[in-house]
Amino acid sequence: MTTIPSSSQWGSPTASRRALLIHGFNSSSHTFHRVASALAAKGYLVIAPNLLGHALRNPGVDFQMQTLADDLLPYLQAAEYDIVLGHSLGGLVVLSLLKYLPKAKPTSVVIIDSSLELTAEQMANMRVMFSSDVKANPTAEDYMALSPLWTREDAMWRVLGTSISRVTNSDGYIDDNAPWSFSHLVADRPAAVALTILIADPRLNGSSKLESVAKFNDVRIVIVPNASHWIQYEFPDVIVEEALRNTEEQDDGQ
């Protein structure tokens, strides 16, 4: 028997349009609370699942990105989505789901500051950063001091996501996804998918993800000025605008 992952929902079950939102590492479905609320206000039923190993869910048979993606297949089998979003690790899960999206139905896909390619050194740094975040267990006040654009609600959801994630998650994801290379998955998107990649301001993050995405054709690349990695907290309106832009352009083209 297939087990449906736990999830959060915004909007009316009778809404004519649907959006699927996939969170990132050491996070949970409510990381999208502002984006989801905005989409629901525009008439979408928004579903945000919790990934394996997060939000008190047990890990899967392994931590490979495709395993995380396949765990969410019941959502794609139960309904078709007009919008699919993924933040960070969730963006890589979305790329792993592209091959399952409808071939003819237009779908707006937005990847939010995901690292499509990492060197071995970058992977080692990421392992330390992720595990340190869970072990240190920062408070809402800590997050708000570091991120002035965050609301208290943003910080509280971040604290919750970190505190209910498994401390050993970082080792599993790093070990099971080496080498860290996911750019090739962009080629799996059906012709009806409009793909946008949002990138945090490289002036704030110290590095740019542009190199790994600049080579793509027919992909909209948007750098979000003054945004850190947590664009969904700081500039949720940008995510919503980009997601809706794709749906509007697709509607105009029909």
Side-chain angles (χ1 to χ4, degrees):
M1 179 178 177
T2 301
T3 301
I4 303 297
S6 64
S7 63
S8 300
Q9 177 177 309
W10 292 259
S12 170
T14 61
S16 61
R17 292 201 162 196
R18 293 174 179 261
L20 184 69
L21 281 51
I22 302 177
H23 69 80
F25 187 79
N26 285 349
S27 192
S28 69
S29 56
H30 273 83
T31 190
F32 282 115
H33 70 102
R34 290 210 263 171
V35 173
S37 296
L39 288 173
K42 293 183 178 296
Y44 283 79
L45 171 62
V46 182
I47 306 294
N50 289 303
L51 294 173
L52 288 167
H54 295 78
L56 303 181
R57 293 195 66 202
N58 290 325
V61 294
D62 56 46
F63 290 89
Q64 293 183 16
M65 221 59 66
Q66 193 61 56
T67 299
L68 297 181
D70 289 346
D71 174 64
L72 302 182
L73 273 179
Y75 289 101
L76 298 184
Q77 294 165 346
E80 293 185 341
Y81 293 86
D82 303 276
I83 292 173
V84 180
L85 310 178
H87 172 244
S88 192
L89 176 82
L92 304 180
V93 174
V94 169
L95 291 180
S96 301
L97 286 171
L98 287 179
K99 60 189 174 185
Y100 299 128
L101 294 181
K103 299 296 186 287
K105 176 183 171 58
T107 308
S108 172
V109 174
V110 181
I111 306 301
I112 306 162
D113 207 47
S114 300
S115 296
L116 275 62
E117 304 287 336
L118 290 176
T119 65
E121 181 180 359
Q122 288 171 326
M123 291 179 70
N125 292 337
M126 187 168 66
R127 184 196 301 269
V128 173
M129 179 182 67
F130 285 159
S131 61
S132 297
D133 204 24
V134 175
K135 292 174 183 176
N137 199 21
T139 65
E141 288 70 23
D142 293 332
Y143 282 121
M144 292 177 69
L146 291 170
S147 309
L149 295 178
W150 291 23
T151 66
R152 182 167 183 80
E153 187 177 4
D154 296 332
M156 291 178 69
W157 284 123
R158 179 69 183 124
V159 168
L160 179 64
T162 302
S163 62
I164 59 179
S165 293
R166 299 171 67 256
V167 175
T168 57
N169 271 357
S170 59
D171 292 331
Y173 285 117
I174 298 299
D175 294 340
D176 287 2
N177 289 287
W180 193 278
S181 180
F182 299 96
S183 297
H184 64 281
L185 296 175
V186 172
D188 290 339
R189 73 187 190 278
V193 167
L195 178 60
T196 295
I197 298 178
L198 301 184
I199 300 175
D201 193 330
R203 297 173 302 174
L204 300 181
N205 285 357
S207 63
S208 173
K209 300 180 175 70
L210 273 176
E211 289 185 7
S212 61
V213 301
K215 60 187 177 183
F216 297 139
N217 296 319
D218 301 322
V219 175
R220 178 174 167 81
I221 310 297
V222 179
I223 295 177
V224 184
N226 302 314
S228 74
H229 180 60
W230 299 90
I231 301 174
Q232 71 271 31
Y233 290 158
E234 297 159 352
F235 297 98
D237 54 318
V238 173
I239 297 174
V240 173
E241 288 171 8
E242 290 298 330
L244 294 177
R245 174 200 294 270
N246 287 343
T247 63
E248 291 164 359
E249 291 179 350
Q250 289 168 327
D251 289 344
D252 291 342
Q254 290 183 329

